[in-house]
Amino acid sequence: MSQPADQREISVAVSTVILALLPGACGTRRVHLPLVRRTRQPFQDRWALPGGWVCPDESLSDAGRRTLAETTGLRPSYLEQLYTFGRPDRSPTGRVLTVVYSALVRSHEAAAATEGENVRWCAADDATGLAFDHDEIVRYALWRLRTKVEYASIALHFLDETFSMAQLREVHEAVLQRPLDPANFRRHVEATGTIVPTGERLTGTRHRPPRLYRALVPAGSPGPFAVAGPPS
Amino acid sequence: MSQPADQREISVAVSTVILALLPGACGTRRVHLPLVRRTRQPFQDRWALPGGWVCPDESLSDAGRRTLAETTGLRPSYLEQLYTFGRPDRSPTGRVLTVVYSALVRSHEAAAATEGENVRWCAADDATGLAFDHDEIVRYALWRLRTKVEYASIALHFLDETFSMAQLREVHEAVLQRPLDPANFRRHVEATGTIVPTGERLTGTRHRPPRLYRALVPAGSPGPFAVAGPPS
């Protein structure tokens, strides 16, 4: 199984798409992702997804975790493999394949990112003009997220352990970028059976404090992107 | 973006999991997949998934299509990226990452495979003892298939353009490996709205010829494995 010499010309990288709901310019929450400014050619000074090369003894997901932490300080509890991008011309300096990992993180986890001159959170729909084919990767990740958000358990990855129905609806509205009818939304979510009332109510509101709910699925269970894969 | 020398030690291969419903030993149809006997080390003489190295100028999916055709003669109308397997120790001769592509094919397409001493169709649940981590890849592909078959449109990839409700149920039974109640199955499928009656009936049966149905989704539309990805 020795490979032909030219086969070695493909290099292997990982990239990460980390999604969080953060307040946008006008105050409403939107899906954001961390970007890293490139300090080297190619695409020097352009924004890119966090990532880097895979070390020889490192699993692909470990490489995703390591390069994400090194560039942004983020350490999500799990990463899921999203897709492998390998178009022959996706890098101008030779053939590079990138295995993309993704995670949804809560706002307080997003705050762990070391924002600075070379790291920033960007509204995902505004993330264009990125290095390599990263525009395409971001669009694909958003499309997957929006396709999957119909399953209520996806949105739970953006929320704290307990939440009101309005908070859950707000996540769906932010992901889908359209208002949802509160009564229809409640009926739909209750029909899915993925959340249960905790018996508590939200404090700090003036009258009729809303009920709190929690997920039936345990935290850290299979994540947002379609199905979880085997570790690799 | 020049990579460290040791990064080049990862080689890139593709593998394909092609699933078809074929008659098993006892006559009932089961999910089968084509395997190829290895003629070289490592794992010489062991059965493996069809696949091979990616050429420098070739897209990953083209490499999947080419190596599948070269080894088995199969040319499915589309391949979907299933998952990338990259555990550092998955090959004994150096680090190899494999991007796995998958397709469901109809029985008559499966017949195009050049069966012989080094190619055979094997019942997927019996495919163990394969080279590399291919046992794990097959189990993962079957798990994905079984998770997804609840959407009626998945099973349609195994059927001809028109089919009876009993033929559709037989596909589900073969995939799930358990009998399904005909009346419940019919109600469930009709509720999904993914198939419509053609107005015709199956010919060649003695009395009460069953209605024929067709898929609402066009043939060749997004395939069985979760969501289709961008070409890569």
Side-chain angles (χ1 to χ4, degrees):
Chain A
M1 180 110 172
S2 64
Q3 62 273 39
D6 59 5
Q7 204 282 330
R8 290 200 177 249
E9 284 172 21
I10 306 178
S11 302
V12 179
V14 287
S15 305
T16 42
V17 180
I18 307 302
L19 301 175
L21 275 192
L22 301 174
C26 51
T28 58
R29 294 204 295 167
R30 296 177 67 189
V31 177
H32 281 65
L33 83 175
L35 296 174
V36 176
R37 194 200 300 267
R38 289 182 59 78
T39 56
R40 276 184 290 194
Q41 292 294 352
F43 299 109
Q44 185 164 359
D45 297 326
R46 290 273 279 281
W47 294 91
L49 295 169
W53 302 114
V54 177
C55 292
D57 295 329
E58 185 178 46
S59 75
L60 299 172
S61 58
D62 283 350
R65 263 185 287 277
R66 175 182 57 78
T67 57
L68 178 66
E70 283 172 1
T71 52
T72 67
L74 286 167
R75 289 177 174 77
S77 52
Y78 65 88
L79 284 177
E80 279 185 69
Q81 196 186 102
L82 181 68
Y83 202 80
T84 297
F85 290 75
R87 228 180 25 226
D89 61 355
R90 58 178 296 282
S91 169
T93 56
R95 183 144 187 205
V96 181
L97 165 162
T98 191
V99 184
V100 180
Y101 282 84
S102 191
L104 304 187
V105 299
R106 295 174 173 81
S107 315
H108 63 86
E109 293 173 273
T114 51
E115 266 204 285
E117 198 191 342
N118 293 324
V119 180
R120 72 165 187 205
W121 286 89
C122 177
D125 284 307
D126 300 339
T128 57
L130 305 182
F132 306 103
D133 55 356
H134 292 187
D135 283 14
E136 184 189 354
I137 296 175
V138 171
R139 283 198 306 273
Y140 179 65
L142 288 175
W143 178 72
R144 283 277 286 265
L145 176 68
R146 287 173 179 148
T147 308
K148 293 287 159 190
V149 80
E150 64 188 281
Y151 310 103
S153 56
I154 306 307
L156 300 172
H157 290 268
F158 282 131
L159 290 164
D160 289 329
E161 204 175 331
T162 64
F163 47 84
S164 68
M165 192 61 80
Q167 288 170 332
L168 180 60
R169 193 183 71 244
E170 193 202 355
V171 172
H172 282 251
E173 289 175 336
V175 168
L176 297 173
Q177 293 197 293
R178 59 183 170 87
L180 298 170
D181 176 73
N184 283 342
F185 180 78
R186 174 184 296 271
R187 267 193 298 274
H188 173 77
V189 168
E190 285 174 347
T192 66
T194 49
I195 65 170
V196 286
T198 63
E200 317 258 289
R201 285 175 183 269
L202 193 65
T203 53
T205 57
R206 264 178 298 182
H207 40 216
R208 288 194 62 199
R211 275 177 215 282
L212 286 173
Y213 296 82
R214 65 174 174 78
L216 256 183
V217 293
S221 64
F225 289 107
V227 291
S232 73
Chain B
M1 180 114 173
S2 63
Q3 61 274 40
D6 58 4
Q7 205 281 330
R8 291 199 178 248
E9 286 173 21
I10 306 178
S11 302
V12 178
V14 287
S15 305
T16 42
V17 180
I18 308 301
L19 302 176
L21 276 193
L22 301 175
C26 52
T28 59
R29 294 203 297 167
R30 297 177 67 189
V31 177
H32 282 65
L33 83 175
L35 296 174
V36 175
R37 194 201 298 267
R38 289 183 59 78
T39 56
R40 278 184 290 195
Q41 292 296 349
F43 299 110
Q44 186 164 359
D45 296 327
R46 290 271 280 281
W47 294 92
L49 294 169
W53 302 114
V54 178
C55 292
D57 295 329
E58 183 180 45
S59 76
L60 300 173
S61 58
D62 283 350
R65 261 185 289 275
R66 175 183 57 79
T67 57
L68 178 66
E70 284 171 1
T71 52
T72 69
L74 285 167
R75 289 178 175 77
S77 52
Y78 63 90
L79 285 177
E80 278 186 68
Q81 196 185 102
L82 181 69
Y83 202 80
T84 297
F85 290 75
R87 227 176 33 224
D89 61 356
R90 59 179 296 282
S91 169
T93 57
R95 183 143 188 206
V96 181
L97 164 162
T98 191
V99 184
V100 180
Y101 283 83
S102 192
L104 305 187
V105 298
R106 296 175 172 83
S107 316
H108 63 87
E109 294 174 273
T114 51
E115 265 203 288
E117 198 191 342
N118 294 323
V119 180
R120 71 165 189 206
W121 286 88
C122 177
D125 285 306
D126 300 338
T128 57
L130 305 183
F132 306 103
D133 55 355
H134 291 186
D135 283 14
E136 184 188 353
I137 296 176
V138 171
R139 282 199 306 275
Y140 178 65
L142 287 175
W143 177 72
R144 283 277 286 269
L145 176 68
R146 286 172 181 147
T147 308
K148 292 289 159 188
V149 80
E150 63 187 283
Y151 308 106
S153 56
I154 307 309
L156 300 174
H157 289 270
F158 282 131
L159 289 164
D160 289 329
E161 204 175 327
T162 65
F163 46 84
S164 69
M165 191 61 81
Q167 287 170 331
L168 181 60
R169 194 183 71 243
E170 193 202 355
V171 171
H172 282 252
E173 290 175 336
V175 168
L176 298 172
Q177 294 196 293
R178 59 184 168 85
L180 298 170
D181 178 74
N184 284 341
F185 180 79
R186 173 185 295 271
R187 268 193 298 275
H188 173 75
V189 168
E190 286 175 345
T192 65
T194 49
I195 64 170
V196 286
T198 62
E200 316 259 291
R201 285 175 183 270
L202 194 64
T203 53
T205 56
R206 264 179 298 184
H207 39 216
R208 285 194 65 198
R211 273 177 215 281
L212 286 173
Y213 295 82
R214 65 173 175 77
L216 255 183
V217 294
S221 64
F225 289 107
V227 291
S232 73

